[in-house]
Amino acid sequence: MSFTSVRAGRIEAASKYCSSVFRVIDMFPVVVVHGGAGHIPKERSEKSMSGLCSAARAGYVILRGGGSSMDAVVEVVRQLENNPSFNAGCGSVLNAKGEVEMDAIVMDGKALGSGAVSGVCNIANPIQLARLVMNKTSHVCLTSEGANQFARSMGVPEVPPESLITEYSRMRWTKNLAVDADPVECQMGKMGTVGAVAVDSEGNVACATSTGGMLNKMEGRVGDTPCIGSGGYADNLVGAVSTTGHGEAIMKVTLARLILFHMEQGQSVEAASDLGLAYMKSRVGGLGGVVTVDPRGHWAARFSSHQMAWAAAQKDTVHYGLYSGENFTQSIDDPL
Ligand code: GLY
């Protein structure tokens, strides 16, 4: 699903990491978004797809206006956290106690800056708090009450935890308590983690991922999303990845960093994503999905699960799909 790049004609001095003195950057800004790997019920798939396409458009407009990849991915994920169709922010799945505990990460490929939060329950947009952790602290991840204290010190408003719980997430929680539910099934079903990767006009890459985690998870369970290298990774020298799927499996293979390792070995965004996902499936039996970019604007949306809702925007075109092999398109100028 990657594009053959077209020469944009921008010439840039090579960094110390490049062998030639000057190189031509054949690159178009791009944002790629996912709405979780798993199975999306038919009655919810249309809302998920339109939410993803509209978030991808918003991210693309930022990039087209010269905005940074970090601004684009945070805005995309903020919009998806506010959309109750997804397992992030409002609409997050509930833990065993029936409460929301959310995780989020951002990473900036320029200097490997990263910020994350875990176990937050009363912040509407954990992705913005993760960005503040990156920008305003010397740490990479803050958790639970410490994350809340930091949010207060930054003037981030707290919201009642109940305002993040939807009728649908309450219904699913009740249903999964009634049956002896398989936790992996719980995670892979119905709604998903959200995430985005982007490349801006300067060739900077970034990622952002946000989730309510796994339905019926134990209190205090930390998943892959806030763990650097698992829920996401961004490095201007290689590319950026945002992941979704069974968190414990993703953490065991550090999926995002594994994919970038394959890219460092010369694999394309598509092949590297497939290799990482195949390794996770064969080694620990985990299913999931990823969105991946390299600094030249090649991109991929790949998954080993039944479905993954995704959208990408580049060259004034929005691409989107849900099942393997799908790649529908619409113009950025088409009405939503
Ligand atoms: N991939 C999201 C989670 O397992 O928490």
Side-chain angles (χ1 to χ4, degrees), residues 103 187 193 211-214 221 223-225 243-248 250:
D103 302 331
Q187 169 58 20
T193 295
T211 190
M214 184 187 273
R221 177 260 189 187
D224 58 307
T225 299
T243 67
T244 168
H246 182 217
E248 279 67 11
I250 292 171

Side-chain angles (χ1 to χ4, degrees), residues 166-181:
T166 61
E167 230 171 81
Y168 185 69
S169 57
R170 179 71 70 194
M171 179 277 287
R172 286 192 64 215
W173 177 72
T174 314
K175 204 169 148 201
N176 278 287
L177 284 185
V179 294
D180 197 10

Side-chain angles (χ1 to χ4, degrees), residues 52-77:
L52 282 178
C53 287
S54 120
R57 280 168 182 242
Y60 183 71
V61 166
I62 291 172
L63 296 174
R64 197 170 58 177
S68 71
S69 50
M70 179 53 66
D71 283 345
V73 293
V74 168
E75 176 55 20
V76 164
V77 169

